[in-house]
Amino acid sequence: MTISSNKKPTACLVLSDGSIFYGYGFGAIGTTVAELCFNTAMTGYQEIMTDPSYAGQIVTFTFPHIGNTGITSEDDETADPFAAGMVVKWDPTDPSSWRAHEKIALWLTARGRIAIGGIDTRRLTRAIRQQGAPHVALCHNTEGEFDLKDLLAQAQAFAGLEGLDLAKDASCKQSYKWNEKRWTWPDGYVTEEAPKYKVVAIDYGAKRNILRCLASVGCDVTVLPATATAEEVLTHKPDGVFLSNGPGDPAATGIYAVPIIQTILAKSNIPVFGICLGHQMLALALGAKTVKMNHGHHGANHPVKDVESNKVEITSMNHGFTVDSQSLPVGVLETHVSLFDGSNCGIRMADRPVFSVQYHPEASPGPQDSFYLFEKFAAEMQKSLAA
């Protein structure tokens, strides 16, 4: 790209095809190698950076005003960022929000994440759409000195996300309880004091706001690691099981996750609800297949049609793999489809309270078009308990 000022570039992004984008670094110093994707959301950059589903990826933000509301600890989806780095059009300005606790550059530096500004993000987004999510090396060097040959070699040597199980790394290491509900004004985060339903959430890289949404519909949530056995899940005598979002190739995670889900379905008739990777895990457990997408879905403005009600929801999405709707077995129905490309966005079993969606109903696009899914899960548990 052409640098618009006389400043010397302090960062560069090298794509595996040899394309080079120069800009100005902020955040941590060094080099990171990852898959490059783009996100079209106009808000929520902090939630995006801390979403475990972005593990192994550098995020290009198509919206130029990144950093303008600063950083607040209340908006973290996990304790630390999972995205490997960020690419933005303009250098972040000082935050102008009463909620801001910290500047984004300082936050990234403290957490070892590299970022680059001054990039033609529209050109970069076109490249991603045309060639698929490329493998890249992102380097931040305050002296502006780059070994381009080495950076290209690192980008080309990156193995990619296909066949990679990242859920084990994103998952909790031991079980814990969750009762914090969604944020409301003026109380902020409050706890669920009188839960109605016992839910076990299998953590493939769960976002905090998903757990808050479960608590907000009356769930007493116990979170278990991704590798927890079906026996460990059922020992808690749950009224329902939740399958969380997470990063990586669903087929790789499915090697150990699918048998667990299949055993839960075989040994109980309780409601099961999955989101994102959890949706893909459920689909694999029911006999379907998943495939890698060209550049995936990443944004907060994705229209999804509920094929059973004909309603359209504006949803938040973050996935690079999708369920192959042509592989859905008899007895498993497609419930939601993307109006962008027709890809699968939801399934359910025809004769059991088992369902899942590809998108993120907790992320509040629309702003609450999809919250009904948590209410549906609660209603199914209530019905099961009354039976």
Side-chain angles (χ1 to χ4, degrees):
M1 68 173 274
T2 301
I3 302 300
S4 58
S5 73
N6 295 322
K7 287 198 304 179
K8 185 177 182 180
T10 57
C12 72
L13 181 71
V14 180
L15 279 59
S16 56
D17 68 355
S19 301
I20 302 172
F21 291 76
Y22 290 101
Y24 307 107
F26 57 98
I29 304 295
T31 301
T32 188
V33 182
E35 179 181 277
L36 184 68
C37 67
F38 66 88
N39 189 295
T40 58
M42 297 176 67
T43 61
Y45 54 81
Q46 184 179 340
E47 292 91 331
I48 290 165
M49 291 297 293
T50 55
D51 180 350
S53 298
Y54 279 106
Q57 295 179 301
I58 293 170
V59 183
T60 300
F61 289 87
T62 61
F63 187 66
H65 303 287
I66 301 300
N68 57 346
T69 56
I71 296 293
T72 173
S73 58
E74 289 185 339
D75 292 345
D76 284 339
E77 290 291 356
T78 50
D80 288 300
F82 270 86
M86 69 173 358
V87 180
V88 300
K89 180 175 177 59
W90 293 339
D91 292 344
T93 60
D94 288 339
S96 56
S97 170
W98 63 273
R99 298 181 68 238
H101 297 156
E102 192 174 9
K103 295 180 181 179
I104 190 170
L106 297 176
W107 181 76
L108 291 168
T109 301
R111 288 154 181 79
R113 293 299 186 269
I114 301 171
I116 182 172
I119 294 293
D120 184 348
T121 52
R122 288 192 293 183
R123 177 188 162 196
L124 187 57
T125 297
R126 284 196 297 270
I128 296 170
R129 289 179 61 88
Q130 290 166 3
Q131 70 183 67
H135 301 166
V136 301
L138 173 60
C139 180
H140 178 196
N141 183 314
T142 55
E143 302 300 319
E145 298 174 355
F146 310 108
D147 186 339
L148 298 177
K149 184 177 180 180
D150 178 66
L151 292 172
L152 177 59
Q154 289 189 57
Q156 293 177 339
F158 181 64
L161 300 185
E162 284 193 80
L164 197 59
D165 170 34
L166 294 174
K168 285 181 181 177
D169 296 330
S171 177
C172 61
K173 304 308 177 187
Q174 59 185 23
S175 65
Y176 64 93
K177 301 285 286 186
W178 186 277
N179 64 356
E180 185 179 83
K181 300 166 69 173
R182 293 193 302 167
W183 193 94
T184 57
W185 176 263
D187 301 317
Y189 294 121
V190 298
T191 58
E192 173 55 71
E193 301 295 343
K196 301 176 182 177
Y197 316 108
K198 292 174 60 177
V199 169
V200 168
I202 301 180
D203 177 16
Y204 304 119
K207 295 170 64 178
R208 290 173 177 171
N209 215 43
I210 288 179
L211 303 179
R212 293 187 187 109
C213 287
L214 290 170
S216 293
V217 293
C219 298
D220 174 15
V221 184
T222 300
V223 184
L224 297 184
T227 53
T229 66
E231 289 70 26
E232 289 173 324
V233 172
L234 296 175
T235 294
H236 290 273
K237 295 183 172 21
D239 302 317
V241 171
F242 174 75
L243 310 174
S244 88
N245 65 294
D249 187 338
T253 302
I255 291 174
Y256 58 86
V258 162
I260 295 169
I261 298 169
Q262 289 174 332
T263 302
I264 292 170
L265 292 174
K267 291 188 174 183
S268 73
N269 197 38
I270 58 176
V272 176
F273 175 31
I275 288 175
C276 196
L277 184 62
H279 161 69
Q280 296 162 353
M281 290 299 96
L282 179 61
L284 290 173
L286 295 176
K289 297 178 181 179
T290 57
V291 294
K292 183 79 163 72
M293 305 176 77
N294 179 61
H295 54 271
H297 290 162
H298 308 279
N301 58 348
H302 286 247
V304 167
K305 182 179 180 179
D306 182 334
V307 298
E308 297 180 317
S309 69
N310 284 327
K311 290 183 178 179
V312 176
E313 306 166 34
I314 300 302
T315 73
S316 178
M317 286 203 189
N318 172 27
H319 63 108
F321 294 81
T322 186
V323 173
D324 180 2
S325 59
Q326 299 303 310
S327 70
L328 292 175
V330 175
V332 179
L333 307 178
E334 182 172 58
T335 58
H336 298 77
V337 296
S338 166
L339 292 184
F340 278 161
D341 59 13
S343 61
N344 174 265
C345 290
I347 61 172
R348 70 174 178 88
M349 293 186 69
D351 57 352
R352 294 181 60 177
V354 176
F355 63 100
S356 60
V357 292
Q358 181 63 74
Y359 51 96
H360 284 265
E362 85 290 343
S364 297
Q368 295 183 11
D369 288 9
S370 307
F371 186 72
Y372 73 91
L373 290 161
F374 294 99
E375 295 169 338
K376 175 182 177 180
F377 185 42
E380 292 290 359
M381 288 188 287
Q382 181 64 45
K383 189 184 305 181
S384 178
L385 287 169

